[in-house]
């Protein structure tokens, strides 16, 4: 409708322009000025330009209509002023108009043909455009996958240089939430190694990284989804925790943490599950299957890093502990004592030096294997007497040290007597024969008996030999003032 009105208005403008040309020609003829023929000829050239414009823009109908009007105008001029030579312009004018009309009609047919071809090509172009859009989407998806795999490569390098278990899990939770940014919280649970194989394992939270404020993070204890992972040992994706038929809605509502969707993958090492890596989001449908595939690859990297960290911890334990008794070696004792005394972290501590009475005769009678068994059993009997920061050391062949942190002289005497009585009362069966051993104990307390490690060792050794000289199976110490 708008295009038709535009044509109509433009046609009126052209007719109005023609009227002005006729009036101008009539005024020129009335004036009788010299060179009137040239001026009228110029006006009719203008007519030709107008008719060309009319023909090209508005088509053949407007051309014929306009031609008729011009013809009437010229006859009017000839009739009034007897300017017969103007009739000579008519053939040229008509011929020009007809030629332009024919050309325009031919152009219209060509344009129509082009339009038909375009209509035929439009479905193909649409298909090509759709293929291009799909290829762009595939290209973008491949780009994202490449970036994720590149990040996984860097993470693998970072994890390979991390040796402690705490650093491994903390690095893992920090990095996975960067690779899958739709996650709000990332967690790693490790299987509690205190439970023997075959028992119902418990999961212990090792590391958590969350975008939510700490006050809103809620309880991070293992829940029904993590226990499901322990049973099935396979990746898990939950689009909406409140609508997943695999899990009881009552059990889900008991969880104190705010999340609606999650993905999780088991950490497998040597064909056994050692933990779980999990991502949570507070909105449903946050994760896609591709996210779970990335998490599954990531969990394999983390499992290898955890295995390396556990091996490193075991090597450290072997380097710090005696292989027979599993008590600390003297090097660890010297290092810890230097740290505690020099840093003044403790106000007092007590050192108990134990020696097995007549251990050489015991070895000669029952053999060195029996002696090793006895050493292991005595070392095991010392552990219940150690508090949180205390530790035991195998200081020599049959000598042991107990370091009692924040323990004054009087309390050390009581605890030493308790150790002596327990060992003396134990019956050890060797080759179906009941055997017993006793120990002698020397006690030194910091800072009363010495302010350095060397002074404490010397004082404890003095009292140990004093106990042996007085008949063994006894404790000896500096008299309490």
């Amino acid at each position: 409708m708008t295009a038709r009105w535009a044509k109509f208005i433009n046609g009126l403008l052209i007719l109005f322009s023609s009227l002005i040309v006729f009036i101008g020609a009539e005024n020129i003829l009335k004036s009788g000025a010299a060179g009137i023929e040239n001026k009228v000829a110029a006006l009719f050239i203008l007519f030709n330009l107008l008719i060309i414009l009319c023909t090209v823009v508005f088509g053949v109908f407007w051309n014929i209509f306009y031609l008729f009007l011009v013809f009437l105008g010229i006859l009017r001029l000839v009739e009034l002023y007897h300017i017969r030579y103007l009739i000579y312009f008519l053939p040229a004018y008509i011929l020009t108009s007809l030629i332009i009309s024919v050309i325009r009609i031919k152009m219209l047919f060509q344009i129509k043909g082009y339009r038909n071809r375009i209509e035929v090509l439009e479905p193909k172009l649409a298909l090509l455009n759709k293929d291009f859009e799909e290829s762009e989407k595939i290209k973008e998806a491949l780009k994202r996958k490449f970036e994720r795999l590149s990040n996984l490569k860097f993470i693998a390098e970072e994890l390979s240089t991390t040796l402690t278990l705490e650093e491994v899990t903390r690095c893992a939770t920090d990095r996975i939430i960067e690779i899958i940014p739709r996650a709000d919280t990332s967690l790693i649970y490790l299987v509690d190694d205190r439970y023997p194989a075959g028992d119902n394992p418990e999961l212990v939270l090792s590391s958590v990284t969350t975008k939510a404020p700490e006050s809103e993070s809620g309880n991070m204890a293992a829940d029904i989804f993590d226990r499901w992972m322990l049973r099935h040992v396979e990746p898990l994706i939950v689009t909406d925790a409140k609508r997943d038929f695999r899990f009881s809605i009552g059990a889900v509502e008991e969880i104190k943490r705010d999340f609606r969707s999650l993905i999780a993958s088991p950490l497998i090492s040597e064909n056994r599950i050692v933990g779980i890596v999990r991502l949570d989001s507070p909105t449903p449908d946050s994760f896609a299957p591709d996210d779970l595939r990335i998490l599954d690859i990531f969990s394999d990297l983390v499992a290898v890093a955890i295995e390396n960290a556990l091996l490193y911890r075991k090597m450290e334990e072997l380097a710090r502990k005696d292989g027979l008794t599993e008590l600390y070696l003297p090097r660890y004792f010297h290092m810890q004592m230097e740290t505690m005394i020099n840093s003044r972290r403790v106000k007092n501590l007590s050192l108990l030096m134990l020696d097995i009475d007549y251990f050489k005769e015991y070895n000669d009678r029952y053999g060195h294997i029996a002696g090793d068994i006895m050493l292991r059993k005595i070392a095991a009997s010392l552990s219940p007497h150690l508090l949180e920061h205390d530790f035991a050391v195998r200081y020599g062949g049959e000598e042991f040290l107990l370091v009692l942190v924040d323990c004054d002289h009087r309390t050390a005497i009581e605890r030493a007597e308790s150790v002596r009585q327990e060992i003396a009362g134990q019956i050890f069966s060797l080759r179906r024969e009941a055997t017993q051993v006793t120990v002698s104990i020397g006690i030194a307390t910091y800072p009363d008996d010495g302010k350095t490690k060397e002074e404490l060792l010397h004082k404890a050794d003095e009292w140990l030999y004093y106990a042996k000289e007085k008949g063994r199976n006894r404790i000896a110490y500096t008299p309490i003032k």
Side-chain angles (χ1 to χ4, degrees):
M1 193 69 177
T2 305
R4 291 181 179 178
W5 277 106
K7 284 187 176 184
F8 179 73
I9 292 171
N10 289 329
L12 293 179
L13 290 175
I14 292 176
L15 291 176
F16 181 70
S17 301
S18 302
L19 181 61
I20 294 175
V21 171
F22 276 118
I23 294 173
E26 187 174 0
N27 291 333
I28 291 172
L29 293 173
K30 285 182 180 180
S31 65
I36 188 172
E37 294 83 358
N38 294 332
K39 294 180 180 180
V40 174
L43 288 174
F44 276 93
I45 291 172
L46 178 61
F47 278 132
N48 277 312
L49 294 176
L50 287 173
I51 193 62
I52 291 171
L53 177 63
C54 184
T55 302
V56 173
V57 176
F58 301 108
V60 178
F61 172 77
W62 281 94
N63 183 27
I64 296 172
F65 178 69
Y66 188 69
L67 179 63
F68 177 72
L69 292 178
V70 172
F71 181 73
L72 292 179
I74 292 175
L75 289 180
R76 171 68 176 165
L77 292 174
V78 172
E79 180 184 355
L80 291 176
Y81 302 102
H82 306 286
I83 308 176
R84 300 183 180 279
Y85 65 86
L86 288 176
I87 298 176
Y88 294 108
F89 285 98
L90 288 176
Y93 175 74
I94 294 172
L95 181 62
T96 302
S97 300
L98 290 176
I99 291 173
I100 292 174
S101 298
V102 171
I103 292 173
R104 186 179 184 281
I105 292 171
K106 184 177 180 181
M107 290 174 61
L108 288 174
F109 279 112
Q110 289 179 345
I111 291 172
K112 186 176 181 181
Y114 293 145
R115 186 177 299 167
N116 292 335
R117 292 181 184 178
I118 291 174
E119 289 176 354
V120 172
L121 290 174
E122 277 182 352
K124 296 182 180 180
L125 292 173
L127 185 61
L128 289 174
N129 186 50
K130 185 178 179 181
D131 291 341
F132 176 77
E133 290 177 354
E134 290 180 354
S135 64
E136 285 296 314
K137 290 180 180 178
I138 294 173
K139 181 180 177 182
E140 187 64 26
L142 289 174
K143 181 180 178 181
R144 288 196 301 269
K145 284 187 177 181
F146 177 77
E147 290 176 352
R148 283 182 165 184
L149 292 175
S150 298
N151 290 334
L152 287 175
K153 176 179 178 293
F154 294 133
I155 291 172
E157 294 174 355
E158 186 176 2
L159 290 174
S160 65
T161 59
T162 305
L163 296 177
T164 65
L165 185 62
E166 294 76 13
E167 291 178 355
V168 166
T169 55
R170 185 177 66 253
C171 173
T173 55
D174 290 343
R175 296 296 175 265
I176 189 58
I177 208 170
E178 296 173 0
I179 297 178
I180 307 178
R182 287 188 290 271
D184 185 73
T185 305
S186 61
L187 309 100
I188 288 183
Y189 296 96
L190 297 181
V191 175
D192 194 341
D193 55 7
R194 293 176 297 179
Y195 289 83
D199 290 356
N200 292 326
E202 291 291 333
L203 289 172
V204 179
L205 180 64
S206 178
S207 179
V208 57
T209 300
T210 179
K211 298 177 183 176
E214 188 174 351
S215 58
E216 299 178 5
S217 58
N219 182 15
M220 296 296 180
D223 54 35
I224 185 174
F225 301 101
D226 306 309
R227 290 189 287 272
W228 186 94
M229 292 284 297
L230 277 180
R231 291 194 305 271
H232 293 82
V233 194
E234 62 183 37
L236 172 67
I237 181 169
V238 176
T239 57
D240 192 340
K242 294 185 177 180
R243 298 187 178 184
D244 198 306
F245 67 91
R246 294 172 292 181
F247 305 97
S248 167
I249 185 64
V252 173
E253 290 177 348
E254 289 178 359
I255 301 173
K256 303 301 182 182
R257 195 162 71 251
D258 181 23
F259 67 92
R260 291 291 297 275
S261 57
L262 67 94
I263 51 176
S265 182
L267 301 171
I268 307 296
S269 176
E270 297 181 354
N271 297 322
R272 66 183 182 90
I273 183 169
V274 297
I276 292 169
V277 57
R278 167 174 164 176
L279 297 178
D280 291 349
S281 173
T283 57
D285 300 309
S286 293
F287 303 107
D290 188 57
D291 296 325
L292 186 59
R293 284 190 288 270
I294 292 295
L295 184 63
D296 198 30
I297 298 172
F298 178 80
S299 66
D300 290 338
L301 298 177
V302 176
V304 172
I306 288 176
E307 182 180 355
N308 292 337
L310 292 174
L311 289 174
Y312 179 75
R313 176 186 287 181
K314 189 176 292 185
M315 290 175 62
E316 276 195 329
E317 291 290 328
L318 292 174
R320 292 188 302 176
K321 290 188 175 182
D322 174 57
L324 177 64
T325 62
E326 296 186 358
L327 299 181
Y328 287 106
L329 294 171
R331 183 177 63 177
Y332 180 80
F333 163 76
H334 291 296
M335 180 180 65
Q336 289 296 102
M337 289 292 290
E338 290 284 351
T339 302
M340 288 188 291
I341 293 176
N342 294 337
S343 64
R344 302 185 184 277
R345 289 186 338 200
V346 294
K347 293 182 179 180
N348 51 52
L349 64 84
S350 295
L351 187 64
L352 276 58
M353 183 176 287
L354 291 76
D355 186 82
I356 302 176
D357 299 327
Y358 304 110
F359 187 68
K360 183 177 183 303
E361 288 80 354
Y362 190 91
N363 269 339
D364 292 340
R365 180 176 179 180
Y366 296 103
H368 289 283
I369 295 178
D372 290 344
I373 295 173
M374 180 62 67
L375 288 173
R376 280 199 298 267
K377 290 186 176 182
I378 290 178
S381 67
L382 296 176
S383 298
H385 296 274
L386 301 177
L387 301 182
E388 182 180 2
H389 299 292
D390 303 339
F391 60 93
V393 179
R394 185 184 181 189
Y395 197 63
E398 67 272 14
E399 285 187 347
F400 300 91
L401 290 176
L402 294 184
V403 180
L404 310 180
V405 182
D406 292 329
C407 179
D408 59 22
H409 197 48
R410 187 182 299 276
T411 306
I413 293 171
E414 295 174 357
R415 293 174 65 179
E417 180 63 22
S418 175
V419 171
R420 185 197 66 79
Q421 291 180 6
E422 180 178 341
I423 294 176
Q426 287 183 346
I427 304 297
F428 303 100
S429 297
L430 292 174
R431 300 175 183 174
R432 299 181 181 180
E433 182 179 347
T435 63
Q436 284 180 288
V437 295
T438 60
V439 295
S440 299
I441 304 175
I443 304 171
T445 301
Y446 169 86
D448 298 335
D449 293 324
K451 295 184 178 180
T452 65
K453 172 192 65 176
E454 290 77 13
E455 291 177 353
L456 290 173
L457 279 171
H458 179 70
K459 182 61 69 173
D461 190 53
E462 278 186 357
W463 287 116
L464 173 63
Y465 277 98
Y466 180 82
K468 285 183 173 293
E469 289 176 359
K470 293 299 180 179
R472 293 181 170 84
N473 189 23
R474 65 184 66 236
I475 63 175
Y477 49 85
T478 303
I480 301 176
K481 297 180 182 179

